[in-house]
């Protein structure tokens, strides 16, 4: 019996040591892992894109113009410069307001709140075409593929008001 009780005592001490070391191990792993995660979060994705990468086509922007004129111009103006009750969709204030967000954020705003008379009435394709027209007016370059109609895909495209400097 004495041997069993000694074995049990050793096992209990080992368990106690493990309980004492476990929080310390977690603390050390957290201290090492947190800075690595922070660096990962700040690093741009390899496939990261911005509005400067040609995320819409000229044809799509052309399709968006008449839809904009019919559905949006009464409030936002023919030249997208805003009106009495609607903000501009071009120029410094517009660019500053959306800088750092994503195309998904802008698409969702249009999709859920416009047109003011009947929010959400337009199709996803119409919303994307209007957005392509807005990008065109704001002098963002056109590309070879149309702007997506899915918010999730558009969230991968950053809205950057200033053209990024070329990487060397």
């Amino acid at each position: 019996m004495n041997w069993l009780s000694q074995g049990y005592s050793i096992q209990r001490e080992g368990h106690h040591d493990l309980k004492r070391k476990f929080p310390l191990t977690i603390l050390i792993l957290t201290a090492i892992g947190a800075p690595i995660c922070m660096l990962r979060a700040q690093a741009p994705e390899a496939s990261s894109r911005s509005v400067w990468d040609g995320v819409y086509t000229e044809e799509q922007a052309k399709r968006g113009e008449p839809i904009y004129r019919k559905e949006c111009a009464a409030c936002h103006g023919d030249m997208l410069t805003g009106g009495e009750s609607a903000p501009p969709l071009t120029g410094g204030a517009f660019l500053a307001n959306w800088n750092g967000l994503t195309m998904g954020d802008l698409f969702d705003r249009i999709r859920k709140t416009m047109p003011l008379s009947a929010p959400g009435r337009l199709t996803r394709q119409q919303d994307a075409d209007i957005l392509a027209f807005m990008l065109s007016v704001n002098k963002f370059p056109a590309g070879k593929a149309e702007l997506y109609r899915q918010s999730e895909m558009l969230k991968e495209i950053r809205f950057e008001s200033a053209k990024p400097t070329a990487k060397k």
Side-chain angles (χ1 to χ4, degrees):
M1 289 272 232
N2 196 8
W3 180 79
L4 282 175
S5 64
Q6 287 177 347
Y8 178 74
S9 176
I10 292 170
Q11 189 177 17
R12 287 287 286 163
E13 286 177 17
H15 177 69
H16 182 67
D17 288 344
L18 181 62
K19 283 176 68 175
R20 198 174 32 195
K21 291 179 182 175
F22 184 72
L24 182 60
T25 303
I26 295 296
L27 183 62
I28 291 169
L29 289 174
T30 303
I32 293 170
I36 293 171
C37 290
M38 293 292 284
L39 289 174
R40 172 80 175 125
Q42 292 172 356
E45 292 291 321
S47 63
S48 184
R49 296 177 20 181
S50 82
V51 290
W52 294 99
D53 295 324
V55 297
Y56 69 96
T57 64
E58 288 181 19
E59 180 61 35
Q60 187 177 27
K62 287 177 186 174
R63 281 196 321 259
E65 184 174 5
I67 302 167
Y68 173 86
R69 302 261 179 249
K70 179 181 178 196
E71 303 291 343
C72 315
C75 295
H76 291 281
D78 285 336
M79 305 303 290
L80 288 78
T81 54
E84 286 183 27
S85 62
L89 302 176
T90 188
F94 171 76
L95 295 173
N97 190 44
W98 290 97
N99 187 48
L101 298 174
T102 70
M103 290 303 295
D105 297 324
L106 183 50
F107 182 81
D108 285 343
R109 172 71 63 90
I110 293 168
R111 179 137 183 79
K112 294 174 183 174
T113 64
M114 297 291 130
L116 194 57
S117 61
R121 179 173 50 83
L122 301 178
T123 66
R124 287 183 175 274
Q125 185 64 59
Q126 289 173 313
D127 291 333
D129 292 350
I130 290 169
L131 192 48
F133 173 64
M134 291 168 54
L135 291 172
S136 174
V137 170
N138 280 283
K139 306 289 187 225
F140 292 109
K144 295 180 181 179
E146 289 200 354
L147 192 62
Y148 302 119
R149 297 181 307 241
Q150 300 85 9
S151 299
E152 302 79 31
M153 301 290 286
L154 291 167
K155 292 214 183 276
E156 300 296 318
I157 304 170
R158 295 178 323 279
F159 190 100
E160 296 178 345
S161 59
K163 187 173 185 174
T165 57
K167 295 176 183 174
K168 294 182 181 183

